[in-house]
Amino acid sequence: TTDDLFETAVEAAQKKGYVKQGDITVITAGVPLGVSGTTNMLKVQVVGHILANGEGINKQKIRGRLCVCHSKEDLVKEYQPGDIVVTQDTDNTMLNQLKTASGIVIEKGSLDAHAVTVGLSLDIPVLLNVKNATDILKTGVFVTLDCENGVIVAD
């Protein structure tokens, strides 16, 4: 299928080092496949398996374990130092955990959000406006948080 062809082409380009996770690729193809002169398709595709996207506040990129918190109690119970904290929003009651977090992902937010202030103060990546992050992402999963491209990519 064309989807299989596109996936194979992107994987080959990634193995050769031409593209990396989070890069945007433009692929041209012709249908029916294998017939010269039939280029009639164009696809824009992000490299890798994007789990979620949002707005990065800096250009940092880190790999880490997710700690998804539906409540402050979840954060206290599930958090391990170095985790990427995923929550609807942050506040001062979370500072003990946020001080040792490797990144922050929030569902809401603007540039004056608490998470932004914490992230800039601690020099850690923060991704804002990640819709349904606490439903989509799962605690314990290792991901790459790429704030430059505004994506969370499965490892």
Side-chain angles (χ1 to χ4, degrees), residues 28-46:
T28 60
V31 177
L33 295 174
V35 178
S36 181
T38 61
T39 303
N40 57 5
M41 184 182 299
L42 177 78
K43 182 176 182 186
V44 177
Q45 180 173 322
V46 179

Side-chain angles (χ1 to χ4, degrees), residues 58 60 62 101-102 117-125:
N58 55 32
Q60 293 186 37
I62 55 107
S102 61
T117 303
V118 171
L120 291 173
S121 298
L122 299 174
D123 194 31
I124 60 173

Side-chain angles (χ1 to χ4, degrees), residues 95-117:
L95 283 177
N96 283 339
Q97 290 81 17
L98 296 177
K99 286 178 183 178
T100 60
S102 61
I104 304 170
V105 175
I106 60 172
E107 293 181 342
K108 304 175 183 179
S110 61
L111 293 178
D112 63 350
H114 181 270
V116 172
T117 303

Side-chain angles (χ1 to χ4, degrees), residues 58-154:
N58 55 32
K59 295 183 185 236
Q60 293 186 37
K61 184 178 189 178
I62 55 107
R63 181 181 183 277
R65 177 187 178 274
L66 294 177
C67 178
V68 180
C69 308
H70 296 278
S71 68
K72 293 172 188 166
E73 292 77 24
D74 286 349
L75 182 61
V76 171
K77 181 180 170 189
E78 300 290 334
Y79 178 78
Q80 296 176 11
D83 279 354
I84 299 168
V85 175
V86 180
T87 187
Q88 288 183 353
D89 206 355
T90 63
D91 62 39
N92 284 339
T93 64
M94 302 173 161
L95 283 177
N96 283 339
Q97 290 81 17
L98 296 177
K99 286 178 183 178
T100 60
S102 61
I104 304 170
V105 175
I106 60 172
E107 293 181 342
K108 304 175 183 179
S110 61
L111 293 178
D112 63 350
H114 181 270
V116 172
T117 303
V118 171
L120 291 173
S121 298
L122 299 174
D123 194 31
I124 60 173
V126 177
L127 199 60
L128 309 172
N129 300 315
V130 182
K131 292 185 180 184
N132 303 313
T134 57
D135 295 324
I136 296 168
L137 303 172
K138 303 298 177 207
T139 294
V141 173
F142 282 84
V143 300
T144 298
L145 173 59
D146 180 352
C147 285
E148 181 173 11
N149 294 304
V151 295
I152 301 170
V153 181

